[in-house]
Amino acid sequence: MLFAVIFNDKVAHEHVRAKHLRSHIEWLEKNEAVILIGGSLRHQLDEVPKGGLWIADAQSKVELETLLRTDPFYTAGLRESYEVLHWSKAKRERKVLI
């Protein structure tokens, strides 16, 4: 099943993001079979990220939530909250590389 995961980071925790960015990226690469694509979210390009977005493919929400709780950003306390939503791709046959 496909999911969109939206993360909101704690305010004034940029230092946590900076400290754990490398391990977070390595974790994403290790789990790329589930976390298909991920990235940070911000209002303006030059701002500190406010959170993140993933598109994931998992057997269930429970499986995905269990995995995301092992993400270095989560374990380090960067995340204020997250929401896991079922996601339906509009055109299943369309393939894109980002």
Side-chain angles (χ1 to χ4, degrees):
M1 285 182 264
L2 293 173
F3 296 93
V5 185
I6 302 167
F7 296 94
N8 294 301
D9 293 350
K10 292 178 181 174
V11 176
H13 275 65
E14 303 86 34
H15 62 285
V16 176
R17 176 179 284 277
K19 181 177 180 181
H20 297 280
L21 181 60
R22 181 180 300 271
S23 58
H24 169 71
I25 297 298
E26 290 169 358
W27 182 91
L28 287 172
E29 290 172 356
K30 177 182 167 191
N31 292 288
E32 68 183 8
V34 175
I35 311 302
L36 305 178
I37 191 160
S40 59
L41 296 171
R42 52 182 59 95
H43 293 285
Q44 300 293 328
L45 286 175
D46 59 346
E47 287 183 344
V48 172
K50 306 287 186 208
L53 170 70
W54 293 350
I55 299 298
D57 187 359
Q59 295 298 312
S60 67
K61 279 188 177 185
V62 171
E63 176 190 328
L64 184 53
E65 287 187 275
T66 299
L67 179 64
L68 78 78
R69 289 184 183 128
T70 68
D71 175 4
F73 276 178
Y74 186 89
T75 60
L78 176 64
R79 304 303 194 190
E80 178 71 33
S81 64
Y82 65 86
E83 184 175 16
V84 179
L85 303 165
H86 286 277
W87 182 64
S88 300
K89 188 175 173 189
K91 290 182 69 179
R92 291 178 160 260
E93 70 280 359
R94 184 168 184 225
K95 305 288 184 196
V96 297
L97 297 175
I98 298 175

